[in-house]
Amino acid sequence: MSKKVYIFLADGFEDIEGLTVVDLMRRAGIDIETVSIKESNEITTSHGIMMKTDRVFTGTDFSDADMLVLPGGMPGTKYLGEYQPLCDLLRDFYGKSGKVAAICAAPTVLASLGFLEGRKATAYPSCMEGLTGAEPSYESVVVDGNVTTSRGLGTAVDFALSLIGQLLGEEKADEIAESVVYSRK
């Protein structure tokens, strides 16, 4: 059975953090859709690349989600954290033990929602103090229960492979790593 993942994009998201997750998950056969939090599916990345998302948030039914993902980047992370419908969705999904994942600055959004309380977590170095209630970790990727956090662009492949491993098993994650000539630690 195919897994369903939604990754939420706002203007100013970090290109590599968002699109590495999309690319590697699609290679693994995971149905991942990019979702704009704007009324339009046109997004501009933090490095000025214009792209179109698969969907817009408004009117999308997320009831089939197996995982929700937030990429970092500024001001994208700020916009994600300020978008109340996304925060409401994350609260509801997390409350039902759904898997949530965030990289770079985006773990601060999870912290602001109380998801990191008493959990091990990581983030971009300058965002570590924003991990309210978390036990800070400096590992590339931290999985604590249904919450996964990662540090930044340099850990994006490890982050994506960890998410694939959680959804489809480590053998599949290893297969994808090998297919893109990436050595897992």
Side-chain angles (χ1 to χ4, degrees):
M1 186 171 128
S2 181
K3 297 293 183 176
K4 182 69 173 200
V5 175
Y6 294 96
I7 186 165
F8 299 92
L9 306 179
D11 283 335
F13 83 90
E14 171 53 54
D15 315 42
I16 300 301
E17 294 165 5
L19 298 179
T20 296
V21 172
V22 174
D23 180 293
L24 294 181
M25 282 193 170
R26 287 186 178 169
R27 288 172 192 258
I30 294 169
D31 183 5
I32 181 168
E33 294 201 41
T34 55
V35 181
S36 168
I37 64 164
K38 300 183 347 182
E39 291 302 314
S40 157
N41 70 338
E42 293 179 1
I43 294 287
T44 303
T45 71
S46 62
H47 296 285
I49 298 171
M50 295 179 68
M51 63 169 280
K52 291 189 184 245
T53 60
D54 299 314
R55 317 178 147 267
V56 294
F57 191 96
T58 310
T60 299
D61 176 8
F62 299 103
S63 63
D64 60 348
D66 291 295
M67 181 182 282
L68 304 178
V69 181
L70 304 179
M74 283 298 181
T77 297
K78 178 177 166 297
Y79 297 148
L80 293 176
E82 292 172 348
Y83 188 62
Q84 201 55 53
L86 174 59
C87 292
D88 293 343
L89 172 67
L90 288 165
R91 270 192 206 94
D92 182 58
F93 190 72
Y94 175 82
K96 295 174 182 165
S97 299
K99 291 181 179 294
V100 295
I103 185 171
C104 192
T108 61
V109 174
L110 302 183
S112 73
L113 296 171
F115 299 175
L116 303 184
E117 196 67 43
R119 292 185 186 273
K120 252 178 96 175
T122 195
Y124 189 74
S126 66
C127 297
M128 290 296 285
E129 58 192 45
L131 301 182
T132 314
E135 177 189 325
S137 171
Y138 295 91
E139 296 170 68
S140 295
V141 180
V142 176
V143 181
D144 190 336
N146 59 330
V147 178
T148 303
T149 54
S150 188
R151 306 221 59 206
L153 184 154
T155 64
V157 174
D158 291 324
F159 178 63
L161 292 171
S162 172
L163 302 181
I164 291 167
Q166 291 175 54
L167 293 171
L168 300 179
E170 289 305 314
E171 190 175 305
K172 187 64 168 183
D174 288 340
E175 175 190 315
I176 298 303
E178 187 177 325
S179 78
V180 298
V181 194
Y182 182 78
S183 296
R184 291 184 85 186
K185 295 173 185 147

